[in-house]
Amino acid sequence: VTLNPALAEARFCPRCAAPADVHYPRSLVCPQCGYKEFFNPKPVAAAVVRDASGRFVLLRRGFEPGKGLWTFPGGFVDLGESVEEAAIRETREELEVDIELGRLIGVYSRADDRVALVVFAATTTLVCSQCGFTAEELPWGELAFWSTELALRDALGGC
Ligand SMILES: [Zn+2]
């Protein structure tokens, strides 16, 4: 039920209020008026940022899910921007640094997740001493999500 709360309780067409064919979690179709609604995983853009000294720049999440745990900057892609632009914008918002995007590290998606995470490598010309980790210092036991760990391992494999 947590996979799609918008459809969990839906029984009727939001346009004409007739009983609808609900196929949880993916769709609602109205046989009366033809209204159709399809639900899809949302793309989330993120960046594994390395600073001028080569350290990985992480941040502690301030809210659930994963409150207090480490991850890299990222967030939902807005209509009107590309996935790459979203990664740059989210990093500026969350780390207050400008980055240059590098290679695509990977796309992380599972059937029981509501998002599809797209992770890029990135660099900044600053030195982030506060939240910078060398490869040996990465906090593997305190990462926020399964995808955080996989993407960091893939980032390490590619450098
Ligand atoms: Zn309808």
Side-chain angles (χ1 to χ4, degrees):
V1 172
T2 55
L3 187 60
N4 189 353
L7 200 55
E9 305 292 323
R11 300 288 179 273
F12 302 98
C13 172
R15 189 161 76 186
C16 77
D21 296 332
V22 177
H23 300 281
Y24 184 87
R26 62 183 64 209
S27 65
L28 179 154
V29 176
C30 178
Q32 183 73 27
C33 75
Y35 178 86
K36 292 178 179 157
E37 199 169 357
F38 292 89
F39 296 87
N40 312 96
K42 284 181 182 287
V44 167
V48 172
V49 182
R50 305 189 78 163
D51 75 1
S53 67
R55 286 184 166 81
F56 293 91
V57 187
L58 301 180
L59 51 90
R60 271 191 197 274
R61 286 181 60 82
F63 45 87
E64 298 294 346
K67 183 177 180 181
L69 299 174
W70 294 97
T71 188
F72 35 72
F76 290 109
V77 180
D78 293 336
L79 274 177
E81 68 182 357
S82 68
V83 177
E84 289 86 349
E85 287 165 348
I88 292 169
R89 175 182 55 74
E90 289 286 346
T91 301
R92 189 180 298 128
E93 289 174 6
E94 296 181 358
L95 287 180
E96 297 179 337
V97 298
D98 287 319
I99 55 171
E100 184 160 336
L101 284 191
R103 71 182 177 94
L104 176 69
I105 293 175
V107 176
Y108 303 88
S109 164
R110 290 198 310 205
D112 59 354
D113 259 350
R114 301 173 64 190
V115 305
L117 178 68
V118 182
V119 183
F120 294 92
T123 54
T124 174
T125 55
L126 300 174
V127 174
C128 305
S129 52
Q130 285 258 318
C131 47
F133 296 86
T134 65
E136 293 73 28
E137 294 167 345
L138 284 169
W140 295 110
E142 300 174 59
L143 298 177
F145 308 110
W146 65 271
S147 51
T148 312
E149 177 174 348
L150 270 188
L152 283 173
R153 291 200 185 285
D154 291 342
L156 286 170
C159 58

Short mmCIF file of all heavy atoms in Angstrom, two decimals, residues 110-132:
data_model
loop_
_atom_site.label_atom_id
_atom_site.label_comp_id
_atom_site.label_asym_id
_atom_site.label_seq_id
_atom_site.Cartn_x
_atom_site.Cartn_y
_atom_site.Cartn_z
N ARG A 110 14.16 -0.51 -8.28
CA ARG A 110 13.62 -1.80 -7.83
C ARG A 110 12.11 -1.74 -7.96
O ARG A 110 11.50 -0.68 -7.83
CB ARG A 110 13.99 -2.09 -6.38
CG ARG A 110 15.44 -2.39 -6.14
CD ARG A 110 15.70 -3.09 -4.82
NE ARG A 110 15.09 -2.44 -3.68
CZ ARG A 110 15.53 -2.55 -2.44
NH1 ARG A 110 16.61 -3.25 -2.18
NH2 ARG A 110 14.89 -1.95 -1.45
N ALA A 111 11.48 -2.90 -8.14
CA ALA A 111 10.03 -2.94 -8.33
C ALA A 111 9.27 -2.42 -7.12
O ALA A 111 8.15 -1.93 -7.25
CB ALA A 111 9.58 -4.36 -8.66
N ASP A 112 9.86 -2.49 -5.93
CA ASP A 112 9.16 -2.04 -4.72
C ASP A 112 9.56 -0.61 -4.33
O ASP A 112 9.27 -0.18 -3.23
CB ASP A 112 9.39 -3.01 -3.56
CG ASP A 112 10.87 -3.16 -3.22
OD1 ASP A 112 11.72 -2.62 -3.95
OD2 ASP A 112 11.16 -3.82 -2.21
N ASP A 113 10.23 0.11 -5.22
CA ASP A 113 10.59 1.50 -4.97
C ASP A 113 9.75 2.43 -5.83
O ASP A 113 9.37 2.07 -6.95
CB ASP A 113 12.07 1.75 -5.30
CG ASP A 113 12.92 1.78 -4.05
OD1 ASP A 113 12.36 1.82 -2.94
OD2 ASP A 113 14.15 1.79 -4.20
N ARG A 114 9.48 3.63 -5.33
CA ARG A 114 8.66 4.58 -6.07
C ARG A 114 9.48 5.51 -6.94
O ARG A 114 8.94 6.34 -7.65
CB ARG A 114 7.85 5.43 -5.08
CG ARG A 114 6.94 4.60 -4.20
CD ARG A 114 6.28 5.44 -3.14
NE ARG A 114 5.40 6.43 -3.71
CZ ARG A 114 4.84 7.43 -3.03
NH1 ARG A 114 5.11 7.57 -1.75
NH2 ARG A 114 4.04 8.27 -3.63
N VAL A 115 10.81 5.40 -6.86
CA VAL A 115 11.68 6.26 -7.65
C VAL A 115 12.67 5.43 -8.45
O VAL A 115 12.93 4.26 -8.14
CB VAL A 115 12.48 7.25 -6.75
CG1 VAL A 115 11.52 8.06 -5.88
CG2 VAL A 115 13.49 6.51 -5.90
N ALA A 116 13.18 6.03 -9.52
CA ALA A 116 14.29 5.47 -10.27
C ALA A 116 15.44 6.46 -10.14
O ALA A 116 15.35 7.60 -10.60
CB ALA A 116 13.93 5.26 -11.74
N LEU A 117 16.51 6.05 -9.46
CA LEU A 117 17.61 6.95 -9.12
C LEU A 117 18.67 6.94 -10.20
O LEU A 117 19.18 5.88 -10.57
CB LEU A 117 18.22 6.52 -7.78
CG LEU A 117 19.42 7.31 -7.28
CD1 LEU A 117 19.01 8.73 -6.90
CD2 LEU A 117 20.06 6.60 -6.10
N VAL A 118 18.99 8.12 -10.72
CA VAL A 118 20.01 8.29 -11.76
C VAL A 118 21.19 9.03 -11.13
O VAL A 118 21.03 10.15 -10.65
CB VAL A 118 19.46 9.09 -12.95
CG1 VAL A 118 20.52 9.20 -14.05
CG2 VAL A 118 18.19 8.45 -13.48
N VAL A 119 22.36 8.37 -11.10
CA VAL A 119 23.49 8.93 -10.36
C VAL A 119 24.66 9.25 -11.29
O VAL A 119 25.10 8.38 -12.05
CB VAL A 119 23.97 7.96 -9.26
CG1 VAL A 119 25.09 8.58 -8.44
CG2 VAL A 119 22.81 7.57 -8.35
N PHE A 120 25.13 10.48 -11.21
CA PHE A 120 26.27 10.92 -11.99
C PHE A 120 27.49 11.12 -11.09
O PHE A 120 27.36 11.49 -9.92
CB PHE A 120 25.97 12.27 -12.66
CG PHE A 120 24.89 12.21 -13.69
CD1 PHE A 120 23.57 12.45 -13.33
CD2 PHE A 120 25.17 11.90 -15.01
CE1 PHE A 120 22.55 12.39 -14.27
CE2 PHE A 120 24.16 11.84 -15.95
CZ PHE A 120 22.85 12.08 -15.58
N ALA A 121 28.67 10.92 -11.66
CA ALA A 121 29.88 11.37 -11.01
C ALA A 121 29.98 12.88 -11.22
O ALA A 121 29.47 13.41 -12.22
CB ALA A 121 31.10 10.68 -11.61
N ALA A 122 30.60 13.58 -10.26
CA ALA A 122 30.72 15.03 -10.38
C ALA A 122 31.93 15.49 -9.59
O ALA A 122 32.41 14.80 -8.69
CB ALA A 122 29.46 15.72 -9.87
N THR A 123 32.41 16.67 -9.95
CA THR A 123 33.53 17.27 -9.23
C THR A 123 33.22 18.72 -8.88
O THR A 123 32.45 19.38 -9.58
CB THR A 123 34.83 17.24 -10.06
OG1 THR A 123 34.56 17.86 -11.34
CG2 THR A 123 35.31 15.83 -10.29
N THR A 124 33.83 19.18 -7.79
CA THR A 124 33.77 20.59 -7.44
C THR A 124 35.20 21.06 -7.21
O THR A 124 36.07 20.28 -6.82
CB THR A 124 32.91 20.86 -6.18
OG1 THR A 124 33.02 22.23 -5.84
CG2 THR A 124 33.38 20.01 -5.01
N THR A 125 35.42 22.36 -7.46
CA THR A 125 36.78 22.89 -7.29
C THR A 125 37.06 23.29 -5.85
O THR A 125 38.16 23.68 -5.51
CB THR A 125 36.98 24.12 -8.20
OG1 THR A 125 35.94 25.07 -7.92
CG2 THR A 125 36.92 23.73 -9.67
N LEU A 126 36.05 23.18 -4.99
CA LEU A 126 36.24 23.52 -3.58
C LEU A 126 36.82 22.34 -2.81
O LEU A 126 36.82 21.20 -3.30
CB LEU A 126 34.89 23.90 -2.95
CG LEU A 126 34.18 25.11 -3.58
CD1 LEU A 126 32.81 25.28 -2.97
CD2 LEU A 126 35.01 26.37 -3.44
N VAL A 127 37.28 22.61 -1.60
CA VAL A 127 37.66 21.56 -0.66
C VAL A 127 36.63 21.54 0.45
O VAL A 127 36.38 22.56 1.09
CB VAL A 127 39.07 21.79 -0.07
CG1 VAL A 127 39.36 20.76 1.02
CG2 VAL A 127 40.12 21.71 -1.17
N CYS A 128 35.99 20.40 0.63
CA CYS A 128 34.93 20.27 1.64
C CYS A 128 35.45 19.45 2.81
O CYS A 128 35.33 18.23 2.83
CB CYS A 128 33.70 19.61 1.03
SG CYS A 128 33.08 20.46 -0.44
N SER A 129 36.06 20.12 3.78
CA SER A 129 36.69 19.40 4.88
C SER A 129 35.66 18.84 5.86
O SER A 129 35.88 17.83 6.50
CB SER A 129 37.67 20.32 5.61
OG SER A 129 37.03 21.52 5.96
N GLN A 130 34.51 19.52 5.97
CA GLN A 130 33.50 19.11 6.95
C GLN A 130 32.89 17.75 6.66
O GLN A 130 32.75 16.94 7.55
CB GLN A 130 32.37 20.16 6.97
CG GLN A 130 32.75 21.45 7.69
CD GLN A 130 32.16 21.50 9.08
OE1 GLN A 130 31.01 21.14 9.26
NE2 GLN A 130 32.94 21.94 10.05
N CYS A 131 32.48 17.56 5.42
CA CYS A 131 31.73 16.34 5.09
C CYS A 131 32.41 15.59 3.95
O CYS A 131 31.75 14.90 3.18
CB CYS A 131 30.31 16.69 4.74
SG CYS A 131 30.18 18.06 3.57
N GLY A 132 33.74 15.72 3.86
CA GLY A 132 34.48 15.01 2.83
C GLY A 132 35.08 13.72 3.36
O GLY A 132 35.63 13.69 4.47
#
